Amino acid sequence: TMCGSGPQTSSKLVNRGAYAVDFSSAPATLGFIGLSDSIDGMSGLTGFTIEAWVKRNTAGALTGGVFSRSSDVDNDGDGTTDWSDGILLSVFPANTPRFSMVIASTVYSVISTTALTNGQWAHIAGVFTNASHGTGVHSSCGYGTSTTHLDLYINGVFSNCGSTGDNYPQAFAYSERIGRPHTSFGGTGIEMAVDTRLDAVIDEVRFWQVARTGSQIQQCMGQEMGISGACALSSDLIGYWTLNIGTGSDILSSGASGNTGHSYYCDNDCVNGGNSILWAGGWTAGYPF
């Protein structure tokens, strides 16, 4: 949509349909998508959900970040930026989905009991919740009480849970990335720069400002979010990237947030931030459903 009285030009972002982004095709060690804006609506949340489809693309060990949100601060006043608060959906140890939350430099993590299979899509969902669980359902994380904790679902099926020490994610200020963490997450094994690129394909990244239940995750994970029905776009979906809309290095948000991304690769000194170069070669045919 354009406005104004003078001549106008426009560039069209293409809906590629059955496409995803292949981070293993990056020309150097690290490919990633940097998002243009911080996700709104995070302050004071008592629950949230991060979802993504991931296809392991290597017979070797797959490690790396799938989605991260973080803020950097100088905790000890020594003039060096330290990792502080953040959320990380990752694969670590090798081939193993992991969901982590960092509060005031304390790391809470839950690790999947199911490893990713080479060449196969897997749906990974990390949930922060304070909801009680029913009898016989991972009772160690809150049966009979409302104790804040992390849940991890693989292909819509509960995999594992872990404590968060009754902390709430109020301090996560900025910097979301897909495919590489924005900062190092101490204690998780995931650093800003890992030794190799994320040898995986990612699709359908979703960030909800509510804790989704297992049945809700199962109901909508096998389709794009639509305009009506149980899997319609809603105000609770505050970040959504189908990863099939865009052209070149431009990757368009698929929800109302307007949080467009740009794909890059890092070609040197990636541990200290590196030299990021726009990367247009990540688009790949095929998607998980």
Side-chain angles (χ1 to χ4, degrees):
T1 302
M2 298 172 289
C3 61
S5 59
Q8 303 290 331
T9 60
S10 67
S11 60
K12 180 177 175 59
L13 287 172
V14 179
N15 187 338
R16 296 168 178 266
Y19 266 69
V21 174
D22 181 3
F23 292 89
S24 64
S25 67
T29 55
L30 290 169
F32 64 95
I33 298 170
L35 301 174
S36 59
D37 301 305
S38 180
I39 295 175
D40 295 328
M42 286 292 294
S43 180
L45 290 185
T46 58
F48 61 83
T49 304
I50 305 170
E51 301 180 57
W53 280 95
V54 177
K55 183 172 73 171
R56 177 181 162 192
N57 221 17
T58 176
L62 173 65
T63 60
V66 175
F67 181 92
S68 69
R69 174 186 174 91
S70 60
S71 60
D72 295 335
V73 296
D74 181 6
N75 288 314
D76 51 14
D78 64 355
T80 301
T81 298
D82 309 309
W83 55 273
S84 176
D85 301 302
I87 308 164
L88 177 65
L89 194 66
S90 66
V91 181
F92 187 86
N95 310 320
T96 307
R98 182 184 189 126
F99 183 42
S100 304
M101 192 163 75
V102 185
I103 300 288
S105 302
T106 299
V107 181
Y108 305 96
S109 285
V110 55
I111 301 174
S112 173
T113 57
T114 304
L116 301 180
T117 301
N118 186 29
Q120 293 185 12
W121 285 101
H123 185 268
I124 305 172
V127 182
F128 171 77
T129 180
N130 66 350
S132 300
H133 293 299
T135 303
V137 181
H138 42 291
S139 58
S140 62
C141 286
Y143 165 56
T145 61
S146 294
T147 303
T148 55
H149 61 277
L150 305 177
D151 285 340
L152 189 61
Y153 293 83
I154 307 298
N155 295 323
V157 178
F158 171 78
S159 179
N160 207 349
C161 60
S163 172
T164 60
D166 289 332
N167 288 304
Y168 288 82
Q170 296 180 356
F172 303 154
Y174 62 91
S175 299
E176 291 88 16
R177 280 187 177 174
I178 298 170
R180 173 194 176 194
H182 168 265
T183 188
S184 300
F185 284 74
T188 68
I190 297 297
E191 304 301 321
M192 184 188 299
V194 292
D195 293 336
T196 58
R197 58 186 160 220
L198 180 72
D199 285 325
V201 185
I202 296 180
D203 202 22
E204 282 289 316
V205 179
R206 303 171 184 176
F207 196 111
W208 303 82
Q209 64 177 356
V210 293
R212 302 273 284 176
T213 65
S215 60
Q216 288 174 325
I217 292 169
Q218 288 181 13
Q219 185 176 38
C220 299
M221 72 181 196
Q223 65 184 75
E224 290 186 8
M225 303 302 294
I227 60 173
S228 63
C231 298
L233 294 169
S234 76
S235 58
D236 287 332
L237 187 60
I238 56 177
Y240 182 33
W241 301 269
T242 60
L243 300 187
N244 60 14
I245 303 176
T247 184
S249 61
D250 295 330
I251 296 174
L252 190 67
S253 166
S254 305
S257 66
N259 198 337
T260 298
H262 298 282
S263 53
Y264 302 88
Y265 70 89
C266 174
D267 71 343
N268 63 69
D269 195 24
C270 299
V271 173
N272 296 311
N275 182 29
S276 297
I277 301 171
L278 286 172
W279 166 50
W283 301 105
T284 186
Y287 72 141
F289 43 76

